[in-house]
Amino acid sequence: MDWFTEKWTPNINFSVKIKEHIYSETTPFQQLEVYDSFDLGRFFTLDGIMMANEKDEFIYHEMIIHTPMSVNPNIKNVLVIGGGDGGSVRELTRYPSIIKIDMVEIDESVVRACQKYFQVTTTGLTDPRVTMKFEDGLAFVKNTKNVYDLIIVDSTDPIGPGEGLFSMEFYQNCHRILSDDGILINQHESPYFDKESQEMKRAHQKIKVLFPVAKVYQAFIPTYPSGHWLFGFASKKYDPVVDFKEAFIETLGYKTKYYNKNIHTGSFALPNYVIEKLKKI
Ligand code: SAM
């Protein structure tokens, strides 16, 4: 019986027992694999790194979307950078108040493979409000004349195609194309292991220079390195806890599986060692 193994550090492996290796593709940007497993259901990886699995993808996708949407219920135009599995878009399409969702994903192969083999996250991609653009997010934010109320950076780690999505140039352009009360949410790595912790600090250092509000919030994602995962909440105007509209999500008539009003505020309460790391920047 096969195992999928991801190196969390040079000395720690994360392994998942596989039922079936469903699909494999060397795309122009990365190595894409889809597996079926005993304990996580189906999952897909990019360059050997766990991206999303049927068992816990809802945690990441609820936290990256419902947190900003509950701070500014007037969000109308949204940009998703990356997010090729469609999970972020799926959560966004639950909001009738949103009128337009642009998803800029560099690798069309990821979208097509998920539409065929990992459909749990792709249900929102056919929503008429969604426009998919298969190009580099770094170039898109540099050249677009559009204005967005919310930008979601649902990227891979800052290696390979994802590297530019952690650069000062990228964040400056995100700031430029955000409305006056715009919010930027980014996948913010993790405080636990050195590699992700360095990336967390690098990203936070740049974002806090550009945005008056630059907070970090956390979620427990068992299948990401250490399970302690962070998101960045940057805004030109709103504080994610002070301006939290706790009743808004209730108006959706949709029962989330992870996110709730106590999780919203609680996720911004960080452990001291994380606060220290963010302060040291
Ligand atoms: N949403 C998943 C999760 O639960 O964390 C994983 C993130 S999603 C699969 C990451 C996406 O970012 C990939 O599809 C990758 O192709 C895309 N990506 C990486 N670099 C990019 C870039 N420069 N511009 C646009 N998309 C990029």
Side-chain angles (χ1 to χ4, degrees), residues 174-241:
C174 286
H175 187 278
R176 177 180 64 80
I177 64 175
L178 273 169
S179 53
D180 291 345
D181 59 356
I183 297 173
L184 166 74
I185 302 290
N186 67 302
Q187 185 277 99
H188 209 58
E189 300 290 311
S190 166
Y192 187 76
F193 292 124
D194 289 348
K195 183 167 77 70
E196 290 80 13
S197 174
Q198 285 313 319
E199 287 153 4
M200 167 198 80
K201 287 194 272 191
R202 278 177 50 211
H204 191 65
Q205 181 175 12
K206 295 163 189 157
I207 294 170
K208 69 187 286 190
V209 164
L210 294 165
F211 288 86
V213 176
K215 304 276 180 163
V216 173
Y217 62 107
Q218 62 192 356
F220 181 69
I221 303 181
T223 51
Y224 282 0
S226 82
H228 190 177
W229 213 254
L230 302 178
F231 298 90
F233 180 107
S235 169
K236 294 184 180 180
K237 177 178 173 186
Y238 297 114
D239 178 282
V241 176

Side-chain angles (χ1 to χ4, degrees), residues 27 29-30 44-46 50-53 56-61 64 80-88 103-111 114 118 121 133-140 153-157 159-165 170 187 221 224 229 231:
T27 83
F29 300 94
Q30 46 213 339
F44 80 100
T45 67
L46 292 175
M50 169 69 73
M51 286 290 122
N53 63 79
D56 71 30
E57 58 79 19
F58 66 91
I59 302 172
Y60 176 98
H61 294 120
I64 204 170
V80 176
I81 301 287
D85 52 273
S88 295
M103 184 178 105
V104 178
E105 162 58 58
I106 199 166
D107 194 345
E108 181 172 4
S109 301
V110 175
V111 177
C114 289
F118 191 71
T121 52
K133 303 165 190 284
F134 299 115
E135 55 184 280
D136 184 345
L138 184 61
F140 179 84
V153 186
D154 181 3
S155 66
T156 41
D157 298 331
I159 42 170
E163 185 159 8
L165 305 182
F170 175 73
Q187 185 277 99
I221 303 181
Y224 282 0
W229 213 254
F231 298 90

Side-chain angles (χ1 to χ4, degrees), residues 6-158:
E6 178 180 334
K7 274 204 158 313
W8 279 8
T9 78
N11 313 307
I12 298 179
N13 282 349
F14 167 68
S15 294
V16 182
K17 200 168 193 176
I18 299 300
K19 264 189 197 164
E20 188 190 352
H21 191 169
I22 296 171
Y23 182 67
S24 179
E25 181 182 349
T26 303
T27 83
F29 300 94
Q30 46 213 339
Q31 185 59 35
L32 163 62
E33 310 289 347
V34 184
Y35 300 95
D36 189 15
S37 69
F38 290 92
D39 291 3
L40 299 177
R42 288 195 172 193
F43 67 90
F44 80 100
T45 67
L46 292 175
D47 291 340
I49 295 174
M50 169 69 73
M51 286 290 122
N53 63 79
E54 287 179 312
K55 185 169 177 55
D56 71 30
E57 58 79 19
F58 66 91
I59 302 172
Y60 176 98
H61 294 120
E62 287 186 14
M63 287 303 283
I64 204 170
I65 298 302
H66 300 306
T67 306
M69 290 304 296
S70 297
V71 173
N72 178 11
N74 302 318
I75 288 171
K76 301 260 180 294
N77 297 299
V78 184
L79 171 62
V80 176
I81 301 287
D85 52 273
S88 295
V89 167
R90 178 193 67 201
E91 293 308 308
L92 285 165
T93 57
R94 299 188 197 285
Y95 291 87
S97 50
I98 291 177
I99 55 174
K100 185 174 165 29
I101 302 167
D102 288 341
M103 184 178 105
V104 178
E105 162 58 58
I106 199 166
D107 194 345
E108 181 172 4
S109 301
V110 175
V111 177
R112 301 308 173 209
C114 289
Q115 284 176 319
K116 265 175 94 175
Y117 305 111
F118 191 71
Q119 293 164 0
V120 65
T121 52
T122 61
T123 47
L125 293 177
T126 51
D127 186 298
R129 295 170 289 174
V130 177
T131 307
M132 286 193 277
K133 303 165 190 284
F134 299 115
E135 55 184 280
D136 184 345
L138 184 61
F140 179 84
V141 297
K142 187 172 171 189
N143 302 320
T144 185
K145 301 275 180 292
N146 298 346
V147 175
Y148 295 97
D149 306 308
L150 174 63
I151 299 177
I152 302 287
V153 186
D154 181 3
S155 66
T156 41
D157 298 331

